[in-house]
Amino acid sequence: RFAYKFLPIGIVIGCLLLSYSRGALIAFIGQILLLTILLSRRHAAGSTIIAPLRRIASALCIGFVVFVSANELRSMLYPVESATEKITFQSAEGRSSVDERLQFWKHSALLTLQQPLFGFGPYSFRFVHPQYQQHVLTTSDHPHNLFLKFSAERGIPAALLFGCFLFLVLVAGLRLSRSGKRLPESLDSVRLGSALLTTSVAGTIAHNLIDYNLQFVGIALPLFLTMGFLLRHAPSFHFVRLPASITGRRIRNTLACCSLLLLLIALREGWYLVTSSAGRHAEASGNAEAALGWYKTSSAEWFSRDLFLSEAHLLLAQGKPDEATASLNRYLTFNSSDARALKLKGEIALLEDDFESAIAAFHQAFQLAGWNDMGIARGLLEALFAESYQQPTTNAAADSRNLALNPEIALVSPEIERRARAFADAIEQNLHFVALSPNVEETVKVLIMLSVLYPEKTDEFHSLINTIEQKASEERMRTRSRPPGFLW
């Protein structure tokens, strides 16, 4: 009977502990406290809260047993990270997760001040944030805070409106829990009713204050359904009394029309989502012709993401630079802050010997994402070298050292060297798994070109090359040699 009651929730808690997420654990502890408060109010008329607390303690004990047992099993095949080191910020990642979050919050505030009314657009943080980036791969798709994401991408008014909506939901949940009102009969099997729903919403929002998880349908969908339940069954607020002329049937008809419109848009874009996904799979399998066909079918979609960028890559690989440029320009009209597109623009200009355009494109990409892709620095140096070789010289025997006399090379090479050294350090420590990325080969190419510019540092650069190649080889070999697993 004990296992039947508490084993399922105990397993869920054990899985939470196995996630090693400090933020999730903090939010969970807050949920336990909030649930205890709500239960104490509901049981104040008669019974005590000892029985509910006993149930919670039992579930926590089972969760701890699941956590320890799973780690013991896993340790037979794989190294297991110490929970103590993780909690005390002494693990391999150190304090990087905390420091990077602080940077994301600061940078998102700066971005909000740039576009305070409407923001930079949905899901734009990953493109506009790297301009403030300060170290290797310290970027993200979101600012790790729900409200900062809204303010940076959709503007301050949108963040305030969403905050007001959340306030109404939580107030509705608290009033519903305090009143003791049960859920509808169809959901009467939910044991804790309104208190559980309120606690779930509060915990999800609390975790999204230090992270952002609403990009996952498995989290966003239950959250908004739960908020809808709370608002629907909570006592009325009566903030605004609408005139009788616009109530009743007119409101229902308006809401029905809006819902129908949204459904039609979703169906239209859903079709293109399927076709573009088919193109992604074809591209991943190496079938370029099929991928281009699917991309052409999907070209009329309203929310194209980076479809035209993928199309440009495929066209360039097929030796069609003009068509690739057309697709690339079409993509840049939607997103001019994507460094990947600017890098590709520079590569195409290099192929066409348009060194001035190549340098301009690589310069812009370097400012946007030079800390994420050393291929941008490599392309920039290649374009500058090519332009220098093209320039006439008065001394036919001039050595490669004279390339450094190019004022643009002399201007950009110190910063490129600084970042190449930072990437070499990051590869040696395998920060953010950079040793498994193409940045290793790109860093080697950049160091070779820097040794041409600075012959006096050749030995030092070659030593760095040997170090990062050895480290990358070890990490890649370790990854390939891992035995296949079902759960880990």
Side-chain angles (χ1 to χ4, degrees), residues 135-156:
H135 199 60
V136 176
L137 299 181
T138 54
T139 189
S140 174
D141 291 344
H142 51 78
H144 289 74
N145 181 278
L146 177 63
F147 295 103
L148 288 174
K149 178 177 173 64
F150 267 94
S151 64
E153 295 185 350
R154 303 170 190 264
I156 295 176

Side-chain angles (χ1 to χ4, degrees), residues 166-288:
L166 289 178
F167 175 77
L168 293 178
V169 170
L170 293 176
V171 170
L174 292 174
R175 294 181 65 184
L176 186 57
S177 301
R178 185 176 59 184
S179 66
K181 182 179 178 181
R182 289 287 183 178
L183 293 175
E185 293 182 0
S186 59
L187 292 177
D188 197 38
S189 59
V190 179
R191 182 71 186 273
L192 301 177
S194 56
L196 261 181
L197 293 181
T198 305
T199 303
S200 300
V201 172
T204 304
I205 298 303
H207 188 258
N208 276 268
L209 295 179
I210 56 176
D211 205 342
Y212 181 77
N213 309 115
L214 297 185
Q215 71 267 41
F216 303 112
V217 177
I219 297 176
L221 180 60
L223 173 66
F224 283 97
L225 287 176
T226 302
M227 291 192 293
F229 289 146
L230 291 175
L231 286 176
R232 172 65 179 82
H233 299 286
S236 301
F237 287 100
H238 299 298
F239 285 148
V240 179
R241 294 187 179 276
L242 298 175
S245 60
I246 62 172
T247 57
R249 182 178 298 179
R250 292 189 180 184
I251 292 180
R252 290 194 296 271
N253 291 341
T254 302
L255 293 176
C257 290
C258 291
S259 300
L260 178 62
L261 178 62
L262 290 175
L263 179 61
L264 292 176
I265 294 175
L267 289 175
R268 181 190 188 277
E269 288 301 295
W271 164 250
Y272 290 121
L273 180 63
V274 172
T275 57
S276 62
S277 296
R280 303 286 184 189
H281 288 292
E283 182 180 359
S285 62
N287 191 345

Side-chain angles (χ1 to χ4, degrees), residues 266-419:
L267 289 175
R268 181 190 188 277
E269 288 301 295
W271 164 250
Y272 290 121
L273 180 63
V274 172
T275 57
S276 62
S277 296
R280 303 286 184 189
H281 288 292
E283 182 180 359
S285 62
N287 191 345
E289 290 296 335
L292 287 172
W294 285 114
Y295 289 156
K296 184 177 181 180
T297 302
S298 308
S299 60
E301 63 183 1
W302 290 335
F303 307 100
S304 61
R305 296 174 294 173
D306 54 358
L307 181 149
F308 297 114
L309 179 60
S310 299
E311 187 179 61
H313 275 289
L314 292 175
L315 291 171
L316 183 61
Q318 291 184 344
K320 302 175 182 178
D322 292 337
E323 296 181 36
T325 301
S327 295
L328 184 60
N329 290 335
R330 188 174 180 181
Y331 175 72
L332 286 172
T333 58
F334 295 105
N335 186 1
S336 60
S337 299
D338 192 344
R340 298 173 302 169
L342 294 169
K343 177 187 174 183
L344 182 59
K345 183 178 181 180
E347 300 284 2
I348 295 175
L350 269 180
L351 291 175
E352 297 176 344
D353 293 334
D354 187 357
F355 303 128
E356 185 176 349
S357 297
I359 291 171
F362 281 124
H363 258 303
Q364 190 175 356
F366 187 74
Q367 295 298 322
L368 288 173
W371 283 112
N372 298 323
D373 184 1
M374 279 301 290
I376 297 174
R378 183 264 310 156
L380 178 57
L381 283 178
E382 285 183 356
L384 291 171
F385 276 4
E387 186 185 48
S388 298
Y389 275 118
Q390 197 178 48
Q391 293 176 355
T393 177
T394 58
N395 184 3
D399 60 16
S400 59
R401 176 63 175 170
N402 288 333
L403 291 174
L405 298 178
N406 185 317
E408 290 191 70
I409 294 181
L411 183 64
V412 74
S413 58
E415 179 60 22
I416 291 180
E417 179 184 357
R418 184 174 77 91
R419 299 194 184 192

Side-chain angles (χ1 to χ4, degrees), residues 401 417 450-461:
R401 176 63 175 170
E417 179 184 357
L450 289 175
S451 66
V452 174
L453 288 175
Y454 305 106
E456 68 277 7
K457 299 181 180 179
T458 299
D459 293 340
E460 184 181 0
F461 290 147

